[in-house]
Amino acid sequence: MALSHAIMTALLDEELSGYDLTRRFETSLGFFWESSHQQIYRELRQLSERGWLQATPVVQDGRPDKILYALTEDGRKALAEWVQGPTNLKRAKDDLFVKLYNIGHCDPAPVLAEIRRRQEQHAARLALYEKIRQRHYAVPEQLSAHRKGIYLALAAGIRHERMYLDWCDEALTLLKDVASAEP
Amino acid sequence: MALSHAIMTALLDEELSGYDLTRRFETSLGFFWESSHQQIYRELRQLSERGWLQATPVVQDGRPDKILYALTEDGRKALAEWVQGPTNLKRAKDDLFVKLYNIGHCDPAPVLAEIRRRQEQHAARLALYEKIRQRHYAVPEQLSAHRKGIYLALAAGIRHERMYLDWCDEALTLLKDVASAEP
DNA sequence: CTTTGATACGCAACTTATTGCATATCTAAG
DNA sequence: CTTAGATATGCAATAAGTTGCGTATCAAAG
């Protein structure tokens, strides 16, 4: 159960609607945690039923009505307990690595192409993260505790993208003659 | 559907039982793809029903009987198609990053402790991967295409562990006064 | 006055993954 | 002789995630 905690984390200091949360999960928090709007809405309903969120319908003018969700005291307590509890480390589960095991049995060209695509994607992400860092987290030592936490998540993202790009270089160099040579 | 492809990949050049596969998923392939034996057995049954695997019961002497699974021609074709197809990139979904967002709202001590635990886990993994590299992949340029692929998965693992360890250092340094200061 | 697009919400069906439990056989150690 | 441990397989229940579809409202552009 982790999406629920990610949602509650997003609600730590603001009330948000399902739609707002969907936006959040496309940026910031979403850099580390993806989710579809369908699942977010379902999770929100379940969390309200469990008493961890307070739902407030808001009638709007000029746009469709919405439901704002706020973290309750119970929710805050449950979240704190989860943060305090143990975290189990999970493997990445990247399909590309499984595909790499198939080189030598399949045509390697599509795998090579995929690595090049990754190179672009990760370069784009890195650029985005770097920009955010420069704008909002230029001097990490001077940030509040809360923002240090967020900065560190961003820093992990930056390190990850750099690492991945370096790996792509290594992979493309090592495989450059494989592409044409073997079937 | 990716576990099924990981299983088929493991069966590329040997017949294995569910038990054997469970072992494989605790080492080698398992460094990048975790799975429980229950799920593996279920997947094996489904893949046999779909005709992608051929199941052969083997009566054993001295130990319990088993079922050996081999990749069929159809299975090989399906796997090749999957390798050729697009790969969608997935976010890591590490709970620890969500927890980082909670620093400043919760007691940060347990998060710090978790980062130290990660440091140990990743150091251990790195040592293991390095050992495997030294033993079997010392000169990557001279490997066959197939083993180059496996080596690159290992290389990604090594880079990942190193990157994570560096990040842990950064995090612990940045948070070292937060631990005592804020509630 | 119609289309496009953003906002706002959700159901249903399906697949995938996790957790807990259960059952055997045989070896080797004590 | 009994117990621990490796080998070998599985069911059932639950949780989590994905995919496809459906319903609205309203603004602004054409």
Side-chain angles (χ1 to χ4, degrees):
Chain A
M1 240 174 357
L3 173 59
S4 55
H5 296 105
I7 288 174
M8 289 194 282
T9 297
L11 295 172
L12 271 173
D13 22 45
E14 34 177 4
E15 288 186 38
L16 297 169
S17 69
Y19 191 80
D20 296 333
L21 279 162
T22 305
R23 298 296 109 187
R24 289 288 189 291
F25 277 90
E26 277 165 10
T27 55
S28 67
L29 246 183
F31 294 151
F32 312 102
W33 207 277
E34 272 181 329
S35 198
S36 63
H37 69 103
Q38 291 93 333
Q39 216 191 327
I40 290 169
Y41 285 118
R42 199 194 319 162
E43 212 58 55
L44 285 170
R45 213 179 327 113
Q46 285 171 11
L47 287 170
S48 307
E49 280 164 17
R50 218 182 300 176
W52 290 356
L53 296 185
Q54 168 76 47
T56 318
V58 174
V59 179
Q60 289 196 114
D61 203 76
R63 35 179 75 175
D65 297 350
K66 64 179 175 180
I67 303 168
L68 277 181
Y69 292 91
L71 201 53
T72 62
E73 269 319 301
D74 275 9
R76 242 167 245 280
K77 232 162 67 183
L79 179 59
E81 265 166 42
W82 175 77
V83 173
Q84 247 102 66
T87 316
N88 51 333
L89 178 58
K90 298 203 174 176
R91 308 264 139 259
K93 289 205 178 180
D94 188 335
D95 286 4
L96 184 55
F97 296 137
V98 179
K99 291 190 176 182
L100 279 172
Y101 273 71
N102 281 272
I103 287 183
H105 289 273
C106 292
D107 175 20
V111 181
L112 270 281
E114 181 59 34
I115 296 174
R116 275 185 223 101
R117 243 190 74 217
R118 292 289 174 103
Q119 216 169 16
E120 284 169 34
Q121 290 174 340
H122 288 288
R125 284 242 143 217
L126 178 59
L128 173 61
Y129 291 168
E130 293 271 30
K131 207 163 137 189
I132 296 172
R133 165 146 82 176
Q134 271 174 36
R135 285 219 189 136
H136 304 290
Y137 303 94
V139 193
E141 295 77 17
Q142 290 171 12
L143 298 169
S144 67
H146 182 229
R147 286 174 57 75
K148 274 181 183 168
I150 297 172
Y151 161 76
L152 283 171
L154 180 66
I158 290 174
R159 284 179 188 278
H160 180 258
E161 302 307 335
R162 285 213 188 112
M163 180 276 293
Y164 211 112
L165 282 171
D166 289 344
W167 177 81
C168 286
D169 285 341
E170 180 182 3
L172 291 173
T173 305
L174 188 63
L175 295 176
K176 75 173 176 299
D177 23 82
V178 172
S180 45
E182 308 205 29
Chain B
M1 239 174 0
L3 173 59
S4 55
H5 295 106
I7 288 174
M8 289 194 281
T9 297
L11 295 173
L12 271 173
D13 22 46
E14 34 176 5
E15 289 186 39
L16 297 169
S17 67
Y19 190 81
D20 296 332
L21 279 162
T22 304
R23 300 295 108 187
R24 288 290 187 291
F25 276 89
E26 278 165 10
T27 55
S28 68
L29 246 182
F31 296 151
F32 313 101
W33 207 277
E34 273 181 329
S35 199
S36 61
H37 68 104
Q38 291 94 332
Q39 218 192 324
I40 290 169
Y41 285 116
R42 196 181 335 150
E43 216 48 63
L44 285 170
R45 214 179 326 114
Q46 285 170 11
L47 287 170
S48 307
E49 280 163 19
R50 217 182 301 175
W52 289 357
L53 296 184
Q54 168 76 45
T56 317
V58 175
V59 179
Q60 289 196 114
D61 203 77
R63 38 179 73 178
D65 296 350
K66 65 180 176 180
I67 303 167
L68 276 181
Y69 292 91
L71 201 53
T72 63
E73 267 321 300
D74 274 9
R76 242 167 245 279
K77 233 161 66 183
L79 179 59
E81 264 165 45
W82 175 77
V83 172
Q84 247 102 68
T87 316
N88 51 334
L89 179 58
K90 298 206 176 178
R91 309 263 140 258
K93 291 207 180 178
D94 188 334
D95 286 4
L96 184 55
F97 295 136
V98 179
K99 292 192 177 183
L100 279 172
Y101 274 70
N102 282 272
I103 287 183
H105 289 272
C106 291
D107 176 20
V111 181
L112 269 282
E114 181 59 35
I115 296 174
R116 277 186 221 101
R117 242 190 76 217
R118 292 287 175 104
Q119 216 169 17
E120 283 169 35
Q121 290 173 341
H122 288 288
R125 281 241 146 216
L126 178 58
L128 173 61
Y129 292 168
E130 292 273 29
K131 206 162 137 189
I132 295 172
R133 166 146 82 177
Q134 273 176 33
R135 284 221 188 133
H136 303 290
Y137 303 94
V139 192
E141 295 77 17
Q142 290 172 13
L143 298 168
S144 67
H146 181 230
R147 286 174 57 74
K148 274 181 184 167
I150 298 173
Y151 161 77
L152 283 172
L154 180 66
I158 289 173
R159 283 180 189 277
H160 180 259
E161 303 306 335
R162 285 211 188 113
M163 179 275 293
Y164 212 113
L165 282 171
D166 289 344
W167 176 82
C168 286
D169 284 341
E170 180 182 3
L172 291 173
T173 304
L174 188 65
L175 295 177
K176 77 173 175 299
D177 23 84
V178 172
S180 44
E182 307 204 31

